[in-house]
Amino acid sequence: MAYYFVLGLGCIMSLIFCINRAKGFSIKNLMLKSVSSLCYLLTAVFAVILNPETSVYGSLIIFGGALGLVGDILLDLKGIYRKDESAYLKGGFIFFLVGHLFYSAATIYTVRFEWWIVLLCVLAALIFGYLIIASAKIMKVHYGAYRTIVFIYTSVLSLSMFLAIAAAIYTRFYKGYTILAAGLILFTLSDAILSGTFFGRGKEKPFYFFTNHLTYYAGQYLIAASIMFM
């Protein structure tokens, strides 16, 4: 019962936040964002309680979600306290980066891939990260001093996505891994939109803010919900 209550409450709070976030940064929006992020974390916690056999997978997902919650807060503080913008942005990158390592660990631990599948995913992730940096001019973004951390973060983010996709294929689209893959694809799409608002020009508009957070929370709730179907 608690799982469905938190999931429903979280979806409502996330939608309210997405609508308000389109209006810009504020302390009020930071509070709404914190509650929304806490709800997807609690969704994962209650999923483990209901499905204790997935405690290791679930715990790793919870750790990843907790780090994402801190990253959420830091990225909004970036918009509120402009003088410390660089520190908050780098902090957000680091927390989300480590969080995705936990998501990757959850997949690798439970699927038990052959080593070459993991290696292929790592290579694909590095290529993906390189292409993101190389296509900066085409995408009309300027990474500047963040070029290195964007490459590292993008590679780690895409690794978790590629591993989840590989897990879905490897397990013949087992429901839990399929949901996890869908969640991480949406997360990656969210970050692609976010990259434009952070490093591009002309994309700091309500539509981009709304779609960025809508895809982000949809992704995070799917990642949390995957615990129920493992």
Side-chain angles (χ1 to χ4, degrees):
M1 184 68 179
Y3 169 82
Y4 295 104
F5 173 78
V6 172
L7 178 60
L9 176 63
C11 290
I12 293 170
M13 293 301 299
S14 297
L15 182 58
I16 293 172
F17 167 72
C18 288
I19 294 170
N20 279 274
R21 180 63 182 82
K23 301 173 185 177
F25 294 97
S26 68
I27 295 296
K28 175 186 175 181
N29 283 342
L30 174 60
M31 297 300 292
L32 284 172
K33 188 177 191 180
S34 299
V35 173
S36 300
S37 298
L38 178 62
C39 283
Y40 75 64
L41 183 60
L42 288 175
T43 298
V45 171
F46 285 118
V48 172
I49 293 172
L50 288 174
N51 193 13
E53 293 181 1
T54 63
S55 59
V56 175
Y57 172 86
S59 296
L60 290 169
I61 294 296
I62 289 169
F63 283 130
L67 289 162
L69 188 156
V70 178
D72 277 338
I73 294 172
L74 290 174
L75 290 184
D76 254 41
L77 288 174
K78 162 193 170 293
I80 297 172
Y81 302 106
R82 295 286 185 178
K83 66 176 183 178
D84 296 316
E85 178 179 357
S86 178
Y88 287 125
L89 180 55
K90 289 178 181 177
F93 269 126
I94 292 169
F95 275 94
F96 275 114
L97 186 155
V98 178
H100 277 283
L101 290 177
F102 277 98
Y103 290 156
S104 294
T107 305
I108 293 171
Y109 178 85
T110 53
V111 179
R112 308 289 183 176
F113 289 119
E114 283 85 353
W115 66 269
W116 59 268
I117 296 178
V118 177
L119 179 60
L120 280 178
C121 289
V122 171
L123 290 174
L126 291 172
I127 293 170
F128 186 83
Y130 172 78
L131 290 175
I132 291 297
I133 297 299
S135 62
K137 289 185 179 180
I138 298 173
M139 301 301 292
K140 297 181 180 180
V141 294
H142 179 67
Y143 298 118
Y146 300 100
R147 190 181 182 89
T148 300
I149 195 169
V150 167
F151 167 73
I152 296 171
Y153 172 74
T154 303
S155 298
V156 173
L157 166 64
S158 59
L159 174 61
S160 63
M161 178 182 67
F162 289 137
L163 284 169
I165 293 172
I169 296 171
Y170 189 80
T171 60
R172 298 183 180 182
F173 296 98
Y174 185 73
K175 188 177 290 185
Y177 295 114
T178 303
I179 292 172
L180 176 66
L184 285 165
I185 289 170
L186 284 171
F187 197 119
T188 304
L189 176 61
S190 170
D191 270 10
I193 299 169
L194 185 64
S195 177
T197 63
F198 276 2
F199 303 111
R201 291 183 179 181
K203 293 187 178 180
E204 290 188 345
K205 297 178 180 179
F207 172 77
Y208 292 103
F209 289 139
F210 178 81
T211 53
N212 161 228
H213 286 91
L214 184 65
T215 50
Y216 169 73
Y217 278 111
Q220 286 284 50
Y221 276 103
L222 283 173
I223 293 169
S226 70
I227 300 170
M228 285 287 291
F229 301 95
M230 287 296 178

